[in-house]
Amino acid sequence: MTRSGKKALVVGGSGLVGRHLIQALAADDWEIVSTQRRVPTEVFATHRVIALDLLDGRAARAALGEAGDVTHVFFLARAWQPGYLIERNANVEALTVVLEALQDLPSLMHVQLIHGLKWYGSTLGPFQNPARESDPKLPVEHFYYDQRALVEARARGRHWHWSTLRPHCVCGIATGSPSNLMLGLGVYAALTRAQGKPLSFPSTQAAFEARLTVTNADLLTRAMLWAATDPAAQDQDFNVANGDTFSWREVWPVYASAFGMEPAGPQPRALCEEMPTLAERWRELARREGLAFDELSTLVDWHFMDATLALGWDQTMSLDKLRRHGFGDAVDTSAMILDILTAYRHQGILPR
């Protein structure tokens, strides 16, 4: 155990949120164990990695036994099918496996789940804006609802607490995590520029005009650590976002200027069909610019991009509860966009 006396198990630590969280935990002197589906090919100075398939219950329980005296569980894992289809039963079973393995550990203090704006039906159609944690659940089945009920039930009568956080469109720096809005837009812009075209918005006018909120990954990890350790946040649900709202129409010139391009209005199309046809152009661009990744399919899930950009209604959330309970951090979204694109360029992931 480190000097902090805290040991984190990050379930699903290889994705965008997991990587940012591990950096934050390491900076705060936590001992860290992370899980991922595949056997790790590298050794990390900041944390230990366990290969874990949560859908193989027996093997997963055995692997989780290697984690030791965990104090905090951060559950970030997702089970999905190709085409950005997230499976309800598999995601509930994954959490069940983790809880059954760890819920009676004497050391356990907190279990945290990361959900999102889909809690409020954000992908189903227009919903009450800004969304509030007190809004009633929708009369639909969703694994968020099942997981939330499960963690609350398993905590009952035990000594540990729980929290759930609901970010939206988490924005940060990561590779190997194709459901990544900022990297997807950066790759789209780079390929559009390579074709000599203006930067059009690849969805509808309604989606271009809708009011949105997003969540910076570093802000989210600060909120995660706060919610996992502050008694004021015990057994609570929190929306987490940058604190401002915007429309794509407002920030599209910011994207265009970052690539030295002229912004253009909406031109709806399916990126999942168009972008794979440009795989060879990306390879040429990667070779010419010396980029770190030359395979387009490993960088971006275009089904995710289509689904994220398609929503033609407002998607905002209230942060009143988060503020009342003591977390007040905020991020300027326009500045965040430029910072993230700059970082991807410096890392040789996007062309300059």
Side-chain angles (χ1 to χ4, degrees):
M1 194 76 71
T2 61
R3 287 176 297 175
S4 74
K6 297 189 284 286
K7 182 175 183 177
L9 175 66
V10 182
V11 183
S14 62
L16 190 157
V17 176
R19 295 180 187 193
H20 282 261
L21 175 61
I22 287 169
Q23 291 174 1
L25 291 167
D28 202 32
D29 200 31
W30 289 54
E31 184 177 352
I32 308 161
V33 178
S34 175
T35 78
Q36 61 186 50
R37 289 188 184 90
R38 293 176 292 277
V39 175
T41 58
E42 55 185 314
V43 177
F44 299 91
T46 54
H47 61 288
R48 181 162 62 95
V49 180
I50 297 174
L52 181 66
D53 180 359
L54 289 171
L55 301 184
D56 182 347
R58 180 177 298 179
R61 290 180 182 89
L64 286 166
E66 301 177 21
D69 52 345
V70 170
T71 61
H72 294 72
V73 175
F74 298 90
F75 188 86
L76 313 177
R78 290 287 184 271
W80 65 84
Q81 299 296 325
Y84 195 59
L85 300 175
I86 300 179
E87 203 171 85
R88 177 193 175 202
N89 292 338
N91 280 284
V92 177
E93 177 59 26
L95 178 59
T96 301
V97 167
V98 171
L99 291 176
E100 288 183 349
L102 304 176
Q103 64 191 10
D104 292 318
L105 281 179
S107 59
L108 188 60
M109 300 171 64
H110 198 97
V111 176
Q112 184 177 98
L113 311 181
I114 300 299
H115 288 157
L117 203 61
K118 292 185 183 74
W119 180 278
Y120 307 106
S122 62
T123 61
L124 302 178
F127 60 100
Q128 180 173 314
N129 275 254
R132 299 179 184 276
E133 296 88 343
S134 57
D135 291 347
K137 290 190 297 184
L138 298 176
V140 298
E141 294 182 338
H142 198 288
F143 78 90
Y144 284 175
Y145 299 164
D146 299 325
Q147 287 186 338
R148 166 66 167 73
L150 178 63
V151 74
E152 184 176 24
R154 295 300 179 93
R156 197 171 297 124
R158 293 185 168 92
H159 61 273
W160 49 271
H161 297 275
W162 56 268
S163 60
T164 78
L165 274 62
R166 300 172 187 167
H168 184 50
C169 290
V170 178
C171 301
I173 302 159
T175 57
S177 180
S179 300
N180 183 334
L181 179 63
M182 292 293 107
L183 182 54
L185 287 172
V187 171
Y188 166 70
L191 283 170
T192 302
R193 183 177 66 179
Q195 297 174 83
K197 299 177 180 179
L199 187 62
S200 61
F201 179 70
S203 189
T204 65
Q205 186 70 38
F208 200 48
E209 300 285 349
R211 301 302 303 175
L212 310 174
T213 188
V214 296
T215 308
N216 174 265
D218 290 328
L219 179 143
L220 175 59
T221 58
R222 293 195 297 272
M224 292 169 72
L225 293 187
W226 165 79
T229 58
D230 193 317
Q234 291 176 353
D235 308 327
Q236 297 290 333
D237 310 295
F238 295 104
N239 294 335
V240 182
N242 287 358
D244 55 7
T245 66
F246 68 97
S247 68
W248 288 119
R249 179 181 57 79
E250 291 169 348
V251 302
W252 207 244
V254 176
Y255 270 106
S257 66
F259 288 86
M261 300 172 69
E262 287 296 320
Q267 292 184 10
R269 56 202 189 276
L271 295 179
C272 67
E273 297 175 2
E274 178 181 334
M275 290 296 108
T277 68
L278 299 174
E280 183 56 37
R281 187 179 289 269
W282 179 261
R283 291 188 196 98
E284 294 170 359
L285 182 62
R287 285 194 292 269
R288 186 170 65 250
E289 299 277 349
L291 301 182
F293 300 94
D294 63 1
E295 286 300 323
L296 191 60
S297 61
T298 65
L299 281 178
V300 183
D301 181 343
W302 298 109
H303 290 278
F304 164 80
M305 294 299 297
D306 284 338
T308 301
L309 298 175
L311 306 183
W313 48 81
D314 293 350
Q315 304 153 58
T316 67
M317 60 175 72
S318 169
L319 303 181
D320 289 350
K321 181 180 178 181
L322 185 71
R323 304 299 190 228
R324 288 198 309 271
H325 282 74
F327 186 84
D329 290 16
V331 168
D332 179 274
T333 297
S334 292
M336 176 201 75
I337 290 169
L338 293 176
D339 289 345
I340 291 174
L341 292 176
T342 298
Y344 276 128
R345 285 190 169 118
H346 286 166
Q347 293 182 19
I349 297 166
L350 290 176
R352 295 180 180 273

